[in-house]
Amino acid sequence: MRSRDVLVYAYEQTEETFTRTVEGLEPDDLNRRVQPGANPIGWLAWHGLRIQDDHVADVAGTEQVWTSGGWAGRFGLPVDDAATGYGMSDDEVDAVRVPSADLLLGYSGAVHARSAEFLRGLSDEDLDRVVDTSWDPPVTLGVRLVSVLSDDLQHLGQAAYVRGLLGR
């Protein structure tokens, strides 16, 4: 098995987990905070997708699906198209009101399709390519792709936990 095959499989697993986590939720469920300062399911899911879309597009040298696929307009959020959720204040998180689970699932499918397309074209040698020199040590493509997976899984776990708290 090649490294890319492992990565493709891991990213497929995040999409399956994503679907189970948000499928069937109503807008109120997606946007409810279980307590002040706790991130809602919709924001956690949106943020995870935005990070994956942003980071994979960056290393692939492509435009993000968020803008190229018209998802920013469909979501109609009062945030800049470049926003990923990173560093948002509580007020900014509250402004990200996800309209529907179906919309999240559509965006997820598009992000995961783009990611899988990129991953399938990689060689093991590609994973050693430095993609970010602002860190010490510099970040390689392999490290960046695993970092995205880690972020996705953390936020999906948080969202699934909140779903359980909501009794959904």
Side-chain angles (χ1 to χ4, degrees), residues 33 37 40 71 81 109:
R33 288 186 187 245
W71 293 100
D81 285 353

Side-chain angles (χ1 to χ4, degrees), residues 26-28 30-31 41-46 75 77 95-101 103-104:
E26 297 297 324
D28 285 345
L30 291 170
N31 297 300
I41 294 169
W43 184 88
L44 289 164
W46 172 81
F75 273 76
L77 301 175
V96 176
R97 308 266 320 153
V98 174
S100 74
L103 195 60
L104 273 172

Side-chain angles (χ1 to χ4, degrees), residues 1-7 9 124:
M1 179 177 269
R2 295 183 184 146
S3 299
R4 73 172 175 223
D5 299 327
V6 172
L7 289 167
Y9 176 76
D124 284 350

Side-chain angles (χ1 to χ4, degrees), residues 11 14-16 18-19 45 48-54 56-57 60 62-72 74-75 101-120 152:
Y11 276 75
T14 63
E15 182 179 17
E16 290 175 17
F18 185 90
T19 298
L49 289 171
R50 290 294 299 123
I51 291 294
Q52 183 176 338
D53 191 7
D54 174 77
V56 171
T62 61
E63 185 179 351
Q64 295 178 30
V65 173
W66 183 246
T67 51
S68 69
W71 293 100
R74 283 181 244 174
F75 273 76
D102 287 342
L103 195 60
L104 273 172
L105 292 169
Y107 180 48
S108 174
V111 169
H112 287 287
R114 177 72 63 85
S115 296
E117 177 185 359
F118 173 69
L119 294 170
R120 285 188 191 101
D152 281 350

